[in-house]
């Protein structure tokens, strides 16, 4: 009995002393702004090696279109919009690199079915529910396979966003997306 107890205690002590943690790639939670049909992100990167990195925003939401008089509103549709920005991380210890103005692509122009004699005014909006930031080294050769992300930050919003600042409920940082 004593031998098995000793082995169990030793194994638990070893497991308890092992900590797997990624260095934090962001100084604080990224900020987001719902600009109507696009999402804008900003933030700080730290804990990654010096070099040029692509920061890609993947914004998930639901597009809604309201057609004017005589038009027929298409059904709301889920979509994922993307945007990419290059960020340079300078050499030196514990340097923080900032990215801002990272804007998702705009969805395609909405189509409203309309009668022949009616002018159609369109209101177009996307309510975002998730945003992911993929951080990977810049690809020097576009024909080569894409490099693996060095970090991925996945954020969710408590409620779908409305125009203006969008505070995420939570953000999870991982090594891959």
């Amino acid at each position: 009995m004593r031998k098995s107890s000793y082995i169990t205690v030793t194994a638990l002590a070893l497991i308890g002393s092992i900590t797997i943690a990624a260095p934090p790639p962001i100084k604080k939670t990224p900020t987001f702004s719902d600009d109507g049909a696009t999402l804008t992100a900003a933030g700080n990167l730290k804990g990654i090696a010096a070099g040029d990195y692509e920061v890609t925003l993947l914004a998930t939401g639901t597009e809604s279109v309201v057609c004017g008089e005589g038009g027929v509103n298409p059904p709301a549709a889920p979509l994922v919009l993307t945007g990419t920005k290059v960020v340079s991380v300078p050499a030196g210890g514990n340097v923080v690199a900032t990215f801002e103005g990272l804007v998702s692509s705009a969805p395609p122009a909405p189509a409203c079915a309309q009668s022949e004699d009616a002018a159609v005014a369109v209101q177009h909006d996307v309510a975002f529910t998730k945003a992911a930031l993929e951080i990977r080294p810049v690809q020097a050769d576009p024909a080569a396979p894409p490099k693996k992300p060095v970090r991925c930050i996945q954020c969710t919003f408590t409620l779908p966003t409305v125009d203006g600042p969008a505070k995420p409920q939570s953000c999870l940082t991982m090594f891959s997306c």
Side-chain angles (χ1 to χ4, degrees), residues 27-120:
K27 186 174 181 181
K28 60 181 182 176
T29 302
T31 59
F32 298 95
S33 179
D34 180 337
D35 305 319
T38 60
L39 188 68
T40 301
N44 299 309
L45 304 175
K46 80 175 208 178
I48 57 177
D52 292 333
Y53 294 87
E54 285 183 355
V55 180
T56 301
L57 169 64
L58 299 142
T60 303
T62 301
E63 175 184 40
S64 61
V65 177
V66 177
C67 299
E69 189 176 322
V72 177
N73 298 342
L79 57 96
V80 177
L81 304 174
T82 62
T84 301
K85 188 167 199 154
V86 174
V87 177
S88 293
V89 176
N94 206 16
V95 177
V96 176
T98 300
F99 67 92
E100 54 189 25
L102 172 53
V103 181
S104 70
S105 56
C112 290
Q114 62 187 7
S115 62
E116 290 180 22
D117 58 342
V120 177

